[in-house]
Every structure is written in structure tokens, then in C-alpha cells.
């Protein structure tokens, strides 16, 4: 098949959507499909590079996000001439409008993956969470009526869409992760050198956080909990960058954590696996995740997870088996104490975490599920109908 994937962002940007797109593209190409990417340019200029079409864009409301102000029909002509069989859209804004334009011209279906819990971002445009949720629900319904198949990465997203009144059966296809790099062992010498480069000694107990430093990630809670913990030699390694970094650094200083928290900054994707392995536990307090790819990467690295309870982690993090989910500081501290002081527990949970990640979240299974969705969408698509809308997915 010829498959066009549309996304607001692509490499070298690092986030969950880009990871999902890159892994999907790789698996589809391995299976013999032709794949092209339509995304936004980092500036106002449009261009084509290999099989990627970049459309000129400007800065948007949310920090680090860009948007295109028009469809750019002339720039899309090459993709129209290519004649894809199906479009798999990953975002609901600029590139989705372009996907609709191409689909309408070629009379082909759109498959859409709903990645983002927009309710967790409404503080950027509305002081009222109730109004913000109503606006998100209306926007979601009006967007999804134009697609033939919808993929929900987790049960949490499925429940969310049902709550918005999106019609049809909604099933779940977990996003696949290329876990090969996370299976590689980190030598003791390399681990020691990396830890020492951040001022971490072998006697330190290291909590590692990986991800974009944005308000909705709620890293403030982890900083506060670390300041309250009575564990000696407890350190927090924060890997990543984002619009909230300066505020987080100020907050860490207010909590007198300068000697207990290290902000490592952005790390190249090919090196990130090593940074997970610097930690004894992976920590997160985010409730804005739809699929939690960093949790899965940590688990594949053999690092147990200690995180705030979240519906997206149902069936992913099993407390006492491959990590813990918490609701309160007391539960956080109790789990941390057990992890650090029960002999052999960290190693046991780490091995369980690695096994689960490899069994359930391979990128090859993700690619196979996507293929089945494309086949179903193209078979059922009827361009003459006024509202061709089928919620299709594979458990």
C-alpha cells in the first residue's frame, strides 16, 4: 500500500507522537509498504526532503508548537500525484486539514490516532476547566466525524472519547516501541562515568525522570516528594527540556534541593537508553499521558516504575510486580522505602518490568495492527456517503 502519515511534528523533535510515527513508519516499510510523511517545517518555508514534505509554519499558542495558516494546495500536489491509498493522521490541527483536502481529492479514507488528552492543556486558553472540557469535547466530535477509523492508544483514551460522545465502537491499539536499544546492557564502567559526570556516586539512590519539562507533566510533585523523603543519599536525575525548565529549577532551589536534583537537559535519542539505566527507579507524576511511552522505555531498560496512578497505566504498571502506582506521598514514600531496602526487590521488579515491556509493546505488533486497520478502512470506505465514520481498531 501507499500510506501517507500526517503529523504536526517529526524528527528531530522528540516526543510521544514523533516516537509513534517513526516506529510505525519503520515497521510499515519493513513490511513492504511505501510511506511518506507530511509535517510542518520549523520555519515559514516549505520544502521536500526525501519522502518527507515540510509545510511552512508559524509559532502557535502552546510553547514549542507550530501551525500552518492555510492548506498549501500547491505544495501538496506532489502527494496528490503520488496517490496514497490511505492517510494516517496523528494530529488534529494544520496537517489534519491537509489530510482532509488530500482525502477529498483522491476519495481515500483517513485513519486517525487520537494521541493527546487536550483537557490537560486547556489552562493555556481557558481559566475554566469545565468550559475547557466542553470545548475539547465539541472539537473532538467535529474532527472525528471526518475520519473512517480511529485508533486509541490506551483504554484511558477510549473512555475519554466515549465521554465526549464520540459514536461507534472504540478499541485500543497500544503504540509500539522499538525496544532494541533499551535491551542493550550498560557496562559498569560506562554507568560509573555517566553518574560521576552528574555528581552522582555509587552510594546514591537515583530516581530518574525522562520527558518534556512542561507544566502538565507535574514534575513539581516529584520535587516536593523528594524534599520530604527521609531517605539518605536520595537524588533525582531529570532528563529532558521544555518550557517549564526554569520554573522547575527555581522551585528546586526554593525547596533547597540544589544538591539532590540534577537537570541533565536534552539527550540525543540514540543515547537515551543509557540515561534510564542510571536510575534505580523511573518516576513520574504526570496525569496527561495517553500512552506513557517513557514508562515502557524505562521498563524495557529493566528499571521499575514509581508513578502517580493513571488510567493509561492500567495493565502496564502492576504495583509490587514491576513497579508501583501511588495516590499520596505516604504511598510514594512507602514504595520507595521498600524498593531501596528490601534485598533483591529492585532486581526482581526490574526483570519483571523488562519482560512485560518486551512481550506487549513491540513495534512489529503495532505495525501489523495498523495494516489491518488500513485494510478495513479502505474496504468499508464509501466516499458517496454523507458521514463515513467507522471506529475501527484491533484489541
Amino acid at each position: 500500500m501507499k500510506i501517507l502519515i500526517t503529523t504536526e511534528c517529526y524528527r528531530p523533535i522528540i516526543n510521544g507522537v514523533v516516537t509513534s510515527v517513526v516506529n510505525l513508519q519503520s515497521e510499515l516499510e519493513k513490511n513492504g509498504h511505501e510511506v511518506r510523511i507530511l509535517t510542518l517545517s520549523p520555519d515559514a518555508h516549505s520544502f521536500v526532503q526525501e519522502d518527507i514534505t515540510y509545510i511552512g509554519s508559524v509559532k502557535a499558542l502552546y510553547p514549542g508548537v507550530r501551525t500552518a495558516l492555510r492548506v498549501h494546495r500547491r505544495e501538496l500536489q506532489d502527494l496528490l500525484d503520488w496517490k496514497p491509498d490511505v492517510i494516517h493522521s496523528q494530529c488534529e490541527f494544520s496537517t489534519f486539514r491537509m489530510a482532509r483536502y488530500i482525502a477529498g481529492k483522491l476519495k481515500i479514507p483517513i485513519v486517525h490516532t487520537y494521541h493527546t488528552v487536550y483537557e490537560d492543556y486547556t489552562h493555556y486558553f481557558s481559566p475554566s476547566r469545565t468550559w475547557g472540557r466542553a470545548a475539547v469535547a465539541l472539537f473532538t466530535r467535529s474532527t472525528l466525524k471526518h475520519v473512517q477509523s480511529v485508533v486509541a492508544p490506551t483504554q484511558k483514551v477510549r473512555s475519554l472519547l466515549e465521554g465526549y460522545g464520540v459514536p461507534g465502537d472504540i478499541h485500543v491499539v497500544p503504540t509500539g516501541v522499538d525496544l532494541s536499544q533499551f535491551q542493550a546492557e550498560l557496562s559498569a564502567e560506562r554507568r560509573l562515568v555517566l553518574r560521576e559526570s552528574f555528581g552522582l556516586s555509587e552510594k546514591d539512590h537515583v530516581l530518574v525522570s525522562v520527558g518534556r519539562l512542561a507544566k502538565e507533566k507535574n514534575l513539581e510533585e516529584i520535587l516536593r516528594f523528594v524534599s520530604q523523603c527521609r531517605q539518605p543519599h536520595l537524588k533525582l536525575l531529570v532528563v529532558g527540556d521544555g518550557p517549564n525548565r526554569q520554573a522547575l529549577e527555581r522551585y528546586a532551589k526554593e525547596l533547597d534541593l540544589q544538591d539532590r536534583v540534577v537537570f541533565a537537559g536534552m539527550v540525543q535519542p540514540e543515547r537515551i537508553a543509557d540515561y534510564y539505566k542510571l536510575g534505580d527507579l523511573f518516576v513520574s507524576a504526570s496525569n496527561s499521558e495517553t500512552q506513557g511511552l517513557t514508562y515502557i522505555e524505562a521498563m524495557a531498560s529493566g528499571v521499575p516504575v514509581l508513578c502517580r496512578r493513571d488510567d493509561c497505566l492500567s495493565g502496564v504498571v502492576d504495583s509490587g510486580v514491576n513497579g508501583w502506582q501511588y495516590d499520596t506521598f505516604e504511598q510514594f514514600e512507602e514504595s520507595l522505602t521498600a524498593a531501596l531496602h528490601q534485598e533483591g526487590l529492585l532486581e526482581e521488579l526490574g526483570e519483571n518490568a523488562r519482560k512485560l515491556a518486551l512481550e506487549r509493546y513491540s513495534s512489529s505488533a503495532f505495525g501489523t495492527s495498523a495494516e489491518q486497520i488500513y485494510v478495513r478502512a479502505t474496504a468499508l470506505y464509501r466516499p458517496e456517503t454523507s458521514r463515513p465514520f467507522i471506529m475501527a481498531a484491533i484489541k
Side-chain angles (χ1 to χ4, degrees):
M1 300 179 74
K2 292 182 177 180
I3 302 156
L4 174 63
I5 300 177
T6 64
T7 173
E8 304 291 279
C9 48
Y10 192 66
R11 291 183 294 194
I13 295 172
I14 304 170
N15 60 34
V17 174
V18 174
T19 298
S20 177
V21 169
V22 169
N23 291 336
L24 177 60
Q25 178 187 9
S26 175
E27 292 301 325
L28 292 173
E29 289 176 342
K30 286 179 186 177
N31 292 344
H33 303 291
E34 293 182 54
V35 182
R36 293 193 184 183
I37 305 295
L38 172 62
T39 189
L40 298 181
S41 168
D43 54 39
H45 299 93
S46 299
F47 61 97
V48 177
Q49 188 175 73
E50 296 179 345
D51 291 330
I52 308 167
T53 299
Y54 294 89
I55 300 297
S57 65
V58 297
K59 291 182 179 179
L61 176 66
Y62 181 76
V65 173
R66 302 186 68 85
T67 185
L69 300 179
R70 57 189 178 87
V71 172
H72 291 261
R73 290 173 173 81
R74 186 179 66 180
E75 288 84 349
L76 299 180
Q77 189 57 50
D78 283 347
L79 293 174
L80 287 170
D81 294 340
W82 181 56
K83 296 182 179 179
D85 299 300
V86 64
I87 300 173
H88 191 162
S89 59
Q90 309 287 327
C91 303
E92 293 79 17
F93 301 103
S94 303
T95 53
F96 184 78
R97 295 197 302 271
M98 298 175 202
R100 284 186 59 194
Y101 171 74
I102 295 171
K105 284 287 188 180
L106 298 177
K107 302 295 189 292
I108 59 173
I110 299 175
V111 171
H112 183 75
T113 295
Y114 195 86
H115 285 282
T116 305
V117 180
Y118 290 107
E119 291 180 31
D120 297 315
Y121 297 78
T122 56
H123 59 272
Y124 285 100
F125 66 86
S126 170
S128 168
R129 184 171 179 86
T130 300
W131 184 90
R133 186 181 191 280
V136 168
L138 178 62
F139 168 74
T140 300
R141 289 195 303 271
S142 64
T143 299
L144 295 186
K145 72 180 182 181
H146 298 290
V147 309
Q148 283 62 59
S149 302
V150 172
V151 177
T154 64
Q155 178 62 39
K156 175 182 177 179
V157 177
R158 174 185 175 176
S159 299
L160 199 69
L161 294 175
E162 289 174 338
Y164 291 161
V166 172
D169 295 326
I170 307 171
H171 299 278
V172 175
V173 181
T175 295
V177 181
D178 181 2
L179 299 177
S180 57
Q181 65 172 314
F182 303 100
Q183 298 175 60
E185 293 297 325
L186 179 65
S187 69
E189 294 79 7
R190 170 68 174 160
R191 186 174 186 271
L192 179 62
V193 168
L194 275 177
R195 284 175 68 118
E196 287 181 345
S197 71
F198 294 117
L200 304 171
S201 70
E202 279 303 290
K203 68 180 179 180
D204 287 329
H205 302 302
V206 179
L207 308 180
V208 61
S209 168
V210 178
R212 179 174 168 80
L213 303 187
K215 187 68 176 177
E216 57 275 4
K217 300 299 183 180
N218 196 27
L219 192 59
E220 289 86 351
E221 178 172 282
I222 299 297
L223 291 171
R224 188 170 66 253
F225 283 6
V226 169
S227 73
Q228 294 175 250
C229 279
R230 296 180 292 272
Q231 297 289 338
H233 308 298
L234 184 66
K235 301 291 181 68
L236 173 63
L237 176 64
V238 180
V239 181
D241 210 338
N244 205 38
R245 177 171 177 172
Q246 290 185 346
L248 289 168
E249 290 177 334
R250 286 194 299 269
Y251 188 52
K253 188 174 182 180
E254 290 173 15
L255 295 173
D256 196 25
L257 290 175
Q258 298 96 312
D259 296 331
R260 301 179 69 188
V261 177
V262 178
F263 289 88
M266 187 66 72
V267 173
Q268 292 300 313
E270 61 272 14
R271 297 180 57 201
I272 194 65
D274 290 349
Y275 286 76
Y276 282 109
K277 295 183 179 71
L278 297 183
D280 298 293
L281 285 164
F282 174 85
V283 291
S284 174
S286 174
N287 278 138
S288 67
E289 307 300 318
T290 57
Q291 49 197 332
L293 295 183
T294 54
Y295 303 78
I296 297 168
E297 291 176 350
M299 289 165 54
S301 303
V303 180
V305 174
L306 176 57
C307 60
R308 175 159 284 284
R309 191 175 307 281
D310 193 333
D311 288 344
C312 84
L313 298 176
S314 176
V316 179
V317 179
D318 189 358
S319 288
V321 177
N322 58 0
W324 292 270
Q325 296 190 53
Y326 67 84
D327 294 299
T328 65
F329 167 71
E330 289 73 22
Q331 291 174 353
F332 178 95
E333 186 176 39
E334 181 182 354
S335 301
L336 179 62
T337 300
L340 299 181
H341 298 291
Q342 287 188 27
E343 186 175 355
L345 184 60
L346 267 181
E347 291 76 10
E348 179 185 339
L349 268 61
E351 187 54 38
N352 291 343
R354 189 195 307 271
K355 183 178 179 181
L356 177 71
L358 297 180
E359 285 178 352
R360 295 188 184 176
Y361 300 101
S362 71
S363 54
S364 59
F366 178 46
T368 299
S369 294
E371 288 178 336
Q372 295 176 19
I373 294 173
Y374 302 154
V375 170
R376 179 182 173 110
T378 52
L380 295 175
Y381 178 63
R382 298 292 182 271
E384 67 276 7
T385 59
S386 59
R387 192 171 181 272
F389 182 68
I390 300 161
M391 300 298 288
I394 311 299
K395 281 190 182 286

